[in-house]
Amino acid sequence: MPYETASTPFVPVSHGGRFWTLRQPDEAAVRALTPHLQGEDLLARLLTTRGIAPEEVETFLNPTLRALFPDPASFQDMMKAAGLVLDALVDGRNVTVFADYDVDGGTSSAILARYFRAWGREIGLYVPDRLTEGYGPSPAAFRHLKEIGSDLVITVDCGAAAVDALAEAEAIGLPVIVIDHHLMGKTPPACAALVNPNRADDESGQGHLAAAGVVYVFAAALNKLARERGIAPEGGLPNILEWLDLCALGTLCDMSPLKGANRAFVKQGLKVLSAGQNTGLRALADVAGIGTIETVYHATFVLGPRLNAGGRVGDPWLAAKLLATDDRSEALALAERLHGLNDERKAVENAILEQASVEAQKTLDANPDAGVLIAAGEGWHPGVIGIVAGRLKDRFHLPAIVIGWGEGLGPVAKGSARSVHGVNIGDAIAAAAKDGVILSGGGHAMAGGLSLEPEQLPALRDWMDAHMAEFAQERAAAKELTIDALLATSQVRPDLYDAIGTLGPFGQGAPEPIFALKDVEITHTRPIGENHLKLTVEDAGGRVEALVWRCMGTPLGDALMQRGRVHLAGKLKDNEWNGRRTAQFDVIDAAPAD
């Protein structure tokens, strides 16, 4: 595969406000990798720039559970927790899983529900309401579970930082096992057991796992301990491989880095997903109009948003129920509700995004060097403000905070933030709270949440402007778009798409390659719906169909509608229509060819 290199940025400023640079892999490392990849020079270059050594190629390309599955005993408290759960199963005690309202929480709870069902037991379920209860367990929730007869609670994808709630559980005599993956304080809160690869004294080295991954390993721990005790349900111990689809889905939708065990979970889990044996996921795929569930795209952008919709704008229990059910009729009813709520979520999101984008642009018009974008509005739904913040961050390549309050949402404003690499938004929000600028808040490097009085907005804007001034270099770096290789239109073919696909799955921490088509002519443009644009581009070697998502009304979309000669940056995608298979180019950015 011919491949062009360059030593300097070949696009100083693009239509999207970015500058492009071309990766420069070490040539000796490329030569060392090439024999392991059937002589494919481009694949060797892509793996070299991703830090893959020759001895790692086989595991990277073919990650297996046998090679990468973590030892359950390496997790602090995991075998202790497994003992407590097996005791409860054998004794017939009432066990409730307390799950977060996102996909990671829903898949985690479904794995436990299916494990219990294999033993002839049904586990109770509790999912907090995003609006009225907020994230994670509360003292009131634990009191409620105690009152309705729960003998043991297992929190999944939450609980590690719920100090007050766990103290209340201990006070009322309610044993709680926490299975989480979020960052937490150095001193674990009091509870029956706390399994979290990110607790300070955990030595598993599995801090990159999603909650679904930790729960999946926990299911293996339950089987391991049951074998040691010589106990099993009628029909034998559960085959947890059947639930690898749930583990993969939670891992992908929680944006966990695809390395180590996560890579095996997703690579092998996609095979289970494609078999369509989970009744709930099959129903959701049918309602969504897709056939076989076989790609990261299907999991992350088709199933994921629908599963999350209940927690965002409707009933937070729907996803967990759907993923756990074996009843086709129930699954279809739940899937229809989630599909409808997702349509509602999109309408709410688009309305807020339109307003927030106008506000963000006004900020930049007044101050082109603004270090952070803050958009706020009365009635903006807290279930979608995080998505909107992410959209603003992606469009403007700046940290973004979106805040909403009022109209039944309560007098206190809630905000969600998303950031760019190099600017720790969680630390910034926590510092603002410590300085009394807002009521509370925190998070991690790339995302955060906050609470404040609407009257505190001006002070927050001023505080953030001052704080972000010191990150000018990091913000500039966020506007860099790194190109993996330059392609001619004649190379945009299914065989190249398939070759690149052998390096997948792609996702967080394992980015899909970005290519550039250099100096091509836009010969045709056609808007698709209200937001997207289809292009036909040509050079001396051929013609390519290209798609540009969410570009209409942006500087990028406006420039492309003018046609002419451009450089295009984007990714190769598969396209099949009327029995004919082609590769298309999904455009990320564009720049004038001159």
Side-chain angles (χ1 to χ4, degrees), residues 397-420:
H397 315 294
L398 286 170
I401 302 173
V402 179
I403 299 167
W405 71 92
E407 290 192 16
L409 306 178
V412 174
K414 300 290 185 181
S416 190
R418 298 293 184 269
S419 194
V420 297

mmCIF file with all atom_site columns, all heavy atoms in Angstrom, residues 397-420:
data_model
loop_
_atom_site.group_PDB
_atom_site.id
_atom_site.type_symbol
_atom_site.label_atom_id
_atom_site.label_alt_id
_atom_site.label_comp_id
_atom_site.label_asym_id
_atom_site.label_entity_id
_atom_site.label_seq_id
_atom_site.pdbx_PDB_ins_code
_atom_site.Cartn_x
_atom_site.Cartn_y
_atom_site.Cartn_z
_atom_site.occupancy
_atom_site.B_iso_or_equiv
_atom_site.pdbx_formal_charge
_atom_site.auth_seq_id
_atom_site.auth_comp_id
_atom_site.auth_asym_id
_atom_site.auth_atom_id
_atom_site.pdbx_PDB_model_num
ATOM 1   N N   . HIS A 1 397 ? -13.303 22.581 20.339 1.00 0.00 ? 397 HIS A N   1
ATOM 2   C CA  . HIS A 1 397 ? -12.013 22.108 20.837 1.00 0.00 ? 397 HIS A CA  1
ATOM 3   C C   . HIS A 1 397 ? -11.563 22.875 22.076 1.00 0.00 ? 397 HIS A C   1
ATOM 4   O O   . HIS A 1 397 ? -10.392 23.230 22.236 1.00 0.00 ? 397 HIS A O   1
ATOM 5   C CB  . HIS A 1 397 ? -10.950 22.193 19.740 1.00 0.00 ? 397 HIS A CB  1
ATOM 6   C CG  . HIS A 1 397 ? -11.435 21.676 18.414 1.00 0.00 ? 397 HIS A CG  1
ATOM 7   N ND1 . HIS A 1 397 ? -11.759 20.357 18.212 1.00 0.00 ? 397 HIS A ND1 1
ATOM 8   C CD2 . HIS A 1 397 ? -11.706 22.315 17.235 1.00 0.00 ? 397 HIS A CD2 1
ATOM 9   C CE1 . HIS A 1 397 ? -12.193 20.189 16.972 1.00 0.00 ? 397 HIS A CE1 1
ATOM 10  N NE2 . HIS A 1 397 ? -12.179 21.366 16.361 1.00 0.00 ? 397 HIS A NE2 1
ATOM 11  N N   . LEU A 1 398 ? -12.533 23.129 22.948 1.00 0.00 ? 398 LEU A N   1
ATOM 12  C CA  . LEU A 1 398 ? -12.288 23.813 24.212 1.00 0.00 ? 398 LEU A CA  1
ATOM 13  C C   . LEU A 1 398 ? -13.062 23.107 25.324 1.00 0.00 ? 398 LEU A C   1
ATOM 14  O O   . LEU A 1 398 ? -14.093 22.476 25.056 1.00 0.00 ? 398 LEU A O   1
ATOM 15  C CB  . LEU A 1 398 ? -12.760 25.271 24.146 1.00 0.00 ? 398 LEU A CB  1
ATOM 16  C CG  . LEU A 1 398 ? -11.924 26.266 23.350 1.00 0.00 ? 398 LEU A CG  1
ATOM 17  C CD1 . LEU A 1 398 ? -12.687 27.578 23.196 1.00 0.00 ? 398 LEU A CD1 1
ATOM 18  C CD2 . LEU A 1 398 ? -10.582 26.506 24.033 1.00 0.00 ? 398 LEU A CD2 1
ATOM 19  N N   . PRO A 1 399 ? -12.608 23.215 26.574 1.00 0.00 ? 399 PRO A N   1
ATOM 20  C CA  . PRO A 1 399 ? -13.423 22.717 27.675 1.00 0.00 ? 399 PRO A CA  1
ATOM 21  C C   . PRO A 1 399 ? -14.778 23.421 27.664 1.00 0.00 ? 399 PRO A C   1
ATOM 22  O O   . PRO A 1 399 ? -14.870 24.614 27.366 1.00 0.00 ? 399 PRO A O   1
ATOM 23  C CB  . PRO A 1 399 ? -12.614 23.096 28.920 1.00 0.00 ? 399 PRO A CB  1
ATOM 24  C CG  . PRO A 1 399 ? -11.216 23.281 28.437 1.00 0.00 ? 399 PRO A CG  1
ATOM 25  C CD  . PRO A 1 399 ? -11.335 23.802 27.039 1.00 0.00 ? 399 PRO A CD  1
ATOM 26  N N   . ALA A 1 400 ? -15.837 22.663 27.978 1.00 0.00 ? 400 ALA A N   1
ATOM 27  C CA  . ALA A 1 400 ? -17.186 23.235 27.935 1.00 0.00 ? 400 ALA A CA  1
ATOM 28  C C   . ALA A 1 400 ? -17.972 22.809 29.169 1.00 0.00 ? 400 ALA A C   1
ATOM 29  O O   . ALA A 1 400 ? -17.885 21.661 29.611 1.00 0.00 ? 400 ALA A O   1
ATOM 30  C CB  . ALA A 1 400 ? -17.919 22.795 26.675 1.00 0.00 ? 400 ALA A CB  1
ATOM 31  N N   . ILE A 1 401 ? -18.729 23.748 29.722 1.00 0.00 ? 401 ILE A N   1
ATOM 32  C CA  . ILE A 1 401 ? -19.599 23.492 30.865 1.00 0.00 ? 401 ILE A CA  1
ATOM 33  C C   . ILE A 1 401 ? -21.003 23.932 30.477 1.00 0.00 ? 401 ILE A C   1
ATOM 34  O O   . ILE A 1 401 ? -21.197 25.061 30.020 1.00 0.00 ? 401 ILE A O   1
ATOM 35  C CB  . ILE A 1 401 ? -19.134 24.261 32.114 1.00 0.00 ? 401 ILE A CB  1
ATOM 36  C CG1 . ILE A 1 401 ? -17.688 23.891 32.482 1.00 0.00 ? 401 ILE A CG1 1
ATOM 37  C CG2 . ILE A 1 401 ? -20.060 23.977 33.300 1.00 0.00 ? 401 ILE A CG2 1
ATOM 38  C CD1 . ILE A 1 401 ? -17.106 24.745 33.605 1.00 0.00 ? 401 ILE A CD1 1
ATOM 39  N N   . VAL A 1 402 ? -21.980 23.053 30.643 1.00 0.00 ? 402 VAL A N   1
ATOM 40  C CA  . VAL A 1 402 ? -23.371 23.366 30.327 1.00 0.00 ? 402 VAL A CA  1
ATOM 41  C C   . VAL A 1 402 ? -24.196 23.215 31.592 1.00 0.00 ? 402 VAL A C   1
ATOM 42  O O   . VAL A 1 402 ? -24.085 22.198 32.301 1.00 0.00 ? 402 VAL A O   1
ATOM 43  C CB  . VAL A 1 402 ? -23.916 22.460 29.205 1.00 0.00 ? 402 VAL A CB  1
ATOM 44  C CG1 . VAL A 1 402 ? -25.369 22.793 28.899 1.00 0.00 ? 402 VAL A CG1 1
ATOM 45  C CG2 . VAL A 1 402 ? -23.059 22.614 27.949 1.00 0.00 ? 402 VAL A CG2 1
ATOM 46  N N   . ILE A 1 403 ? -25.034 24.220 31.880 1.00 0.00 ? 403 ILE A N   1
ATOM 47  C CA  . ILE A 1 403 ? -25.731 24.317 33.171 1.00 0.00 ? 403 ILE A CA  1
ATOM 48  C C   . ILE A 1 403 ? -27.218 24.551 32.933 1.00 0.00 ? 403 ILE A C   1
ATOM 49  O O   . ILE A 1 403 ? -27.609 25.322 32.050 1.00 0.00 ? 403 ILE A O   1
ATOM 50  C CB  . ILE A 1 403 ? -25.136 25.469 34.001 1.00 0.00 ? 403 ILE A CB  1
ATOM 51  C CG1 . ILE A 1 403 ? -23.654 25.207 34.284 1.00 0.00 ? 403 ILE A CG1 1
ATOM 52  C CG2 . ILE A 1 403 ? -25.908 25.671 35.306 1.00 0.00 ? 403 ILE A CG2 1
ATOM 53  C CD1 . ILE A 1 403 ? -22.902 26.410 34.811 1.00 0.00 ? 403 ILE A CD1 1
ATOM 54  N N   . GLY A 1 404 ? -28.049 23.881 33.727 1.00 0.00 ? 404 GLY A N   1
ATOM 55  C CA  . GLY A 1 404 ? -29.490 24.079 33.636 1.00 0.00 ? 404 GLY A CA  1
ATOM 56  C C   . GLY A 1 404 ? -30.139 24.154 35.007 1.00 0.00 ? 404 GLY A C   1
ATOM 57  O O   . GLY A 1 404 ? -29.609 23.632 35.988 1.00 0.00 ? 404 GLY A O   1
ATOM 58  N N   . TRP A 1 405 ? -31.315 24.807 35.056 1.00 0.00 ? 405 TRP A N   1
ATOM 59  C CA  . TRP A 1 405 ? -32.052 24.930 36.323 1.00 0.00 ? 405 TRP A CA  1
ATOM 60  C C   . TRP A 1 405 ? -33.498 25.286 36.015 1.00 0.00 ? 405 TRP A C   1
ATOM 61  O O   . TRP A 1 405 ? -33.861 25.628 34.888 1.00 0.00 ? 405 TRP A O   1
ATOM 62  C CB  . TRP A 1 405 ? -31.420 25.991 37.223 1.00 0.00 ? 405 TRP A CB  1
ATOM 63  C CG  . TRP A 1 405 ? -31.614 27.396 36.735 1.00 0.00 ? 405 TRP A CG  1
ATOM 64  C CD1 . TRP A 1 405 ? -32.629 28.258 37.050 1.00 0.00 ? 405 TRP A CD1 1
ATOM 65  C CD2 . TRP A 1 405 ? -30.768 28.111 35.815 1.00 0.00 ? 405 TRP A CD2 1
ATOM 66  N NE1 . TRP A 1 405 ? -32.478 29.453 36.389 1.00 0.00 ? 405 TRP A NE1 1
ATOM 67  C CE2 . TRP A 1 405 ? -31.349 29.388 35.622 1.00 0.00 ? 405 TRP A CE2 1
ATOM 68  C CE3 . TRP A 1 405 ? -29.600 27.786 35.130 1.00 0.00 ? 405 TRP A CE3 1
ATOM 69  C CZ2 . TRP A 1 405 ? -30.769 30.330 34.785 1.00 0.00 ? 405 TRP A CZ2 1
ATOM 70  C CZ3 . TRP A 1 405 ? -29.044 28.730 34.297 1.00 0.00 ? 405 TRP A CZ3 1
ATOM 71  C CH2 . TRP A 1 405 ? -29.622 29.981 34.136 1.00 0.00 ? 405 TRP A CH2 1
ATOM 72  N N   . GLY A 1 406 ? -34.342 25.213 37.063 1.00 0.00 ? 406 GLY A N   1
ATOM 73  C CA  . GLY A 1 406 ? -35.729 25.676 36.964 1.00 0.00 ? 406 GLY A CA  1
ATOM 74  C C   . GLY A 1 406 ? -36.647 24.700 36.261 1.00 0.00 ? 406 GLY A C   1
ATOM 75  O O   . GLY A 1 406 ? -36.280 23.579 35.891 1.00 0.00 ? 406 GLY A O   1
ATOM 76  N N   . GLU A 1 407 ? -37.923 25.110 36.104 1.00 0.00 ? 407 GLU A N   1
ATOM 77  C CA  . GLU A 1 407 ? -38.965 24.327 35.441 1.00 0.00 ? 407 GLU A CA  1
ATOM 78  C C   . GLU A 1 407 ? -39.061 22.911 35.993 1.00 0.00 ? 407 GLU A C   1
ATOM 79  O O   . GLU A 1 407 ? -38.934 21.924 35.271 1.00 0.00 ? 407 GLU A O   1
ATOM 80  C CB  . GLU A 1 407 ? -38.725 24.298 33.920 1.00 0.00 ? 407 GLU A CB  1
ATOM 81  C CG  . GLU A 1 407 ? -38.974 25.634 33.250 1.00 0.00 ? 407 GLU A CG  1
ATOM 82  C CD  . GLU A 1 407 ? -39.023 25.510 31.735 1.00 0.00 ? 407 GLU A CD  1
ATOM 83  O OE1 . GLU A 1 407 ? -39.160 24.386 31.238 1.00 0.00 ? 407 GLU A OE1 1
ATOM 84  O OE2 . GLU A 1 407 ? -38.899 26.549 31.062 1.00 0.00 ? 407 GLU A OE2 1
ATOM 85  N N   . GLY A 1 408 ? -39.256 22.815 37.296 1.00 0.00 ? 408 GLY A N   1
ATOM 86  C CA  . GLY A 1 408 ? -39.406 21.514 37.932 1.00 0.00 ? 408 GLY A CA  1
ATOM 87  C C   . GLY A 1 408 ? -38.099 20.840 38.265 1.00 0.00 ? 408 GLY A C   1
ATOM 88  O O   . GLY A 1 408 ? -38.092 19.736 38.828 1.00 0.00 ? 408 GLY A O   1
ATOM 89  N N   . LEU A 1 409 ? -36.992 21.464 37.934 1.00 0.00 ? 409 LEU A N   1
ATOM 90  C CA  . LEU A 1 409 ? -35.694 20.856 38.184 1.00 0.00 ? 409 LEU A CA  1
ATOM 91  C C   . LEU A 1 409 ? -35.117 21.285 39.530 1.00 0.00 ? 409 LEU A C   1
ATOM 92  O O   . LEU A 1 409 ? -34.053 20.820 39.916 1.00 0.00 ? 409 LEU A O   1
ATOM 93  C CB  . LEU A 1 409 ? -34.714 21.236 37.061 1.00 0.00 ? 409 LEU A CB  1
ATOM 94  C CG  . LEU A 1 409 ? -35.186 20.927 35.638 1.00 0.00 ? 409 LEU A CG  1
ATOM 95  C CD1 . LEU A 1 409 ? -34.145 21.395 34.628 1.00 0.00 ? 409 LEU A CD1 1
ATOM 96  C CD2 . LEU A 1 409 ? -35.444 19.441 35.478 1.00 0.00 ? 409 LEU A CD2 1
ATOM 97  N N   . GLY A 1 410 ? -35.821 22.185 40.225 1.00 0.00 ? 410 GLY A N   1
ATOM 98  C CA  . GLY A 1 410 ? -35.324 22.655 41.513 1.00 0.00 ? 410 GLY A CA  1
ATOM 99  C C   . GLY A 1 410 ? -34.588 23.972 41.376 1.00 0.00 ? 410 GLY A C   1
ATOM 100 O O   . GLY A 1 410 ? -34.143 24.355 40.284 1.00 0.00 ? 410 GLY A O   1
ATOM 101 N N   . PRO A 1 411 ? -34.420 24.678 42.492 1.00 0.00 ? 411 PRO A N   1
ATOM 102 C CA  . PRO A 1 411 ? -33.793 26.001 42.443 1.00 0.00 ? 411 PRO A CA  1
ATOM 103 C C   . PRO A 1 411 ? -32.284 25.958 42.238 1.00 0.00 ? 411 PRO A C   1
ATOM 104 O O   . PRO A 1 411 ? -31.692 26.940 41.790 1.00 0.00 ? 411 PRO A O   1
ATOM 105 C CB  . PRO A 1 411 ? -34.136 26.605 43.808 1.00 0.00 ? 411 PRO A CB  1
ATOM 106 C CG  . PRO A 1 411 ? -34.286 25.401 44.708 1.00 0.00 ? 411 PRO A CG  1
ATOM 107 C CD  . PRO A 1 411 ? -34.894 24.330 43.843 1.00 0.00 ? 411 PRO A CD  1
ATOM 108 N N   . VAL A 1 412 ? -31.655 24.831 42.574 1.00 0.00 ? 412 VAL A N   1
ATOM 109 C CA  . VAL A 1 412 ? -30.202 24.722 42.425 1.00 0.00 ? 412 VAL A CA  1
ATOM 110 C C   . VAL A 1 412 ? -29.869 24.297 40.997 1.00 0.00 ? 412 VAL A C   1
ATOM 111 O O   . VAL A 1 412 ? -30.453 23.356 40.462 1.00 0.00 ? 412 VAL A O   1
ATOM 112 C CB  . VAL A 1 412 ? -29.619 23.712 43.431 1.00 0.00 ? 412 VAL A CB  1
ATOM 113 C CG1 . VAL A 1 412 ? -28.127 23.502 43.172 1.00 0.00 ? 412 VAL A CG1 1
ATOM 114 C CG2 . VAL A 1 412 ? -29.844 24.193 44.856 1.00 0.00 ? 412 VAL A CG2 1
ATOM 115 N N   . ALA A 1 413 ? -28.953 25.002 40.384 1.00 0.00 ? 413 ALA A N   1
ATOM 116 C CA  . ALA A 1 413 ? -28.538 24.679 39.021 1.00 0.00 ? 413 ALA A CA  1
ATOM 117 C C   . ALA A 1 413 ? -27.580 23.495 39.030 1.00 0.00 ? 413 ALA A C   1
ATOM 118 O O   . ALA A 1 413 ? -26.754 23.350 39.931 1.00 0.00 ? 413 ALA A O   1
ATOM 119 C CB  . ALA A 1 413 ? -27.877 25.890 38.375 1.00 0.00 ? 413 ALA A CB  1
ATOM 120 N N   . LYS A 1 414 ? -27.708 22.653 38.015 1.00 0.00 ? 414 LYS A N   1
ATOM 121 C CA  . LYS A 1 414 ? -26.818 21.508 37.843 1.00 0.00 ? 414 LYS A CA  1
ATOM 122 C C   . LYS A 1 414 ? -26.026 21.700 36.558 1.00 0.00 ? 414 LYS A C   1
ATOM 123 O O   . LYS A 1 414 ? -26.572 22.108 35.525 1.00 0.00 ? 414 LYS A O   1
ATOM 124 C CB  . LYS A 1 414 ? -27.606 20.203 37.760 1.00 0.00 ? 414 LYS A CB  1
ATOM 125 C CG  . LYS A 1 414 ? -28.456 19.900 38.990 1.00 0.00 ? 414 LYS A CG  1
ATOM 126 C CD  . LYS A 1 414 ? -27.585 19.541 40.184 1.00 0.00 ? 414 LYS A CD  1
ATOM 127 C CE  . LYS A 1 414 ? -28.431 19.120 41.383 1.00 0.00 ? 414 LYS A CE  1
ATOM 128 N NZ  . LYS A 1 414 ? -27.596 18.785 42.559 1.00 0.00 ? 414 LYS A NZ  1
ATOM 129 N N   . GLY A 1 415 ? -24.748 21.388 36.618 1.00 0.00 ? 415 GLY A N   1
ATOM 130 C CA  . GLY A 1 415 ? -23.904 21.543 35.451 1.00 0.00 ? 415 GLY A CA  1
ATOM 131 C C   . GLY A 1 415 ? -23.116 20.291 35.140 1.00 0.00 ? 415 GLY A C   1
ATOM 132 O O   . GLY A 1 415 ? -22.860 19.463 36.028 1.00 0.00 ? 415 GLY A O   1
ATOM 133 N N   . SER A 1 416 ? -22.752 20.140 33.881 1.00 0.00 ? 416 SER A N   1
ATOM 134 C CA  . SER A 1 416 ? -21.918 19.023 33.438 1.00 0.00 ? 416 SER A CA  1
ATOM 135 C C   . SER A 1 416 ? -20.825 19.574 32.544 1.00 0.00 ? 416 SER A C   1
ATOM 136 O O   . SER A 1 416 ? -21.063 20.494 31.752 1.00 0.00 ? 416 SER A O   1
ATOM 137 C CB  . SER A 1 416 ? -22.765 17.995 32.689 1.00 0.00 ? 416 SER A CB  1
ATOM 138 O OG  . SER A 1 416 ? -22.035 16.815 32.450 1.00 0.00 ? 416 SER A OG  1
ATOM 139 N N   . ALA A 1 417 ? -19.628 19.026 32.670 1.00 0.00 ? 417 ALA A N   1
ATOM 140 C CA  . ALA A 1 417 ? -18.472 19.559 31.947 1.00 0.00 ? 417 ALA A CA  1
ATOM 141 C C   . ALA A 1 417 ? -17.759 18.458 31.178 1.00 0.00 ? 417 ALA A C   1
ATOM 142 O O   . ALA A 1 417 ? -17.736 17.301 31.595 1.00 0.00 ? 417 ALA A O   1
ATOM 143 C CB  . ALA A 1 417 ? -17.495 20.215 32.923 1.00 0.00 ? 417 ALA A CB  1
ATOM 144 N N   . ARG A 1 418 ? -17.189 18.832 30.048 1.00 0.00 ? 418 ARG A N   1
ATOM 145 C CA  . ARG A 1 418 ? -16.323 17.947 29.273 1.00 0.00 ? 418 ARG A CA  1
ATOM 146 C C   . ARG A 1 418 ? -15.081 18.739 28.894 1.00 0.00 ? 418 ARG A C   1
ATOM 147 O O   . ARG A 1 418 ? -15.158 19.937 28.616 1.00 0.00 ? 418 ARG A O   1
ATOM 148 C CB  . ARG A 1 418 ? -17.032 17.444 28.010 1.00 0.00 ? 418 ARG A CB  1
ATOM 149 C CG  . ARG A 1 418 ? -18.284 16.624 28.274 1.00 0.00 ? 418 ARG A CG  1
ATOM 150 C CD  . ARG A 1 418 ? -17.991 15.300 28.950 1.00 0.00 ? 418 ARG A CD  1
ATOM 151 N NE  . ARG A 1 418 ? -19.181 14.490 29.121 1.00 0.00 ? 418 ARG A NE  1
ATOM 152 C CZ  . ARG A 1 418 ? -19.963 14.516 30.205 1.00 0.00 ? 418 ARG A CZ  1
ATOM 153 N NH1 . ARG A 1 418 ? -19.672 15.339 31.209 1.00 0.00 ? 418 ARG A NH1 1
ATOM 154 N NH2 . ARG A 1 418 ? -21.016 13.734 30.296 1.00 0.00 ? 418 ARG A NH2 1
ATOM 155 N N   . SER A 1 419 ? -13.942 18.053 28.849 1.00 0.00 ? 419 SER A N   1
ATOM 156 C CA  . SER A 1 419 ? -12.703 18.778 28.625 1.00 0.00 ? 419 SER A CA  1
ATOM 157 C C   . SER A 1 419 ? -11.876 18.176 27.501 1.00 0.00 ? 419 SER A C   1
ATOM 158 O O   . SER A 1 419 ? -12.207 17.132 26.940 1.00 0.00 ? 419 SER A O   1
ATOM 159 C CB  . SER A 1 419 ? -11.869 18.811 29.913 1.00 0.00 ? 419 SER A CB  1
ATOM 160 O OG  . SER A 1 419 ? -10.835 19.772 29.816 1.00 0.00 ? 419 SER A OG  1
ATOM 161 N N   . VAL A 1 420 ? -10.804 18.870 27.167 1.00 0.00 ? 420 VAL A N   1
ATOM 162 C CA  . VAL A 1 420 ? -9.840  18.416 26.176 1.00 0.00 ? 420 VAL A CA  1
ATOM 163 C C   . VAL A 1 420 ? -8.627  17.867 26.908 1.00 0.00 ? 420 VAL A C   1
ATOM 164 O O   . VAL A 1 420 ? -8.425  18.140 28.095 1.00 0.00 ? 420 VAL A O   1
ATOM 165 C CB  . VAL A 1 420 ? -9.427  19.576 25.251 1.00 0.00 ? 420 VAL A CB  1
ATOM 166 C CG1 . VAL A 1 420 ? -10.623 20.086 24.461 1.00 0.00 ? 420 VAL A CG1 1
ATOM 167 C CG2 . VAL A 1 420 ? -8.803  20.728 26.049 1.00 0.00 ? 420 VAL A CG2 1
#
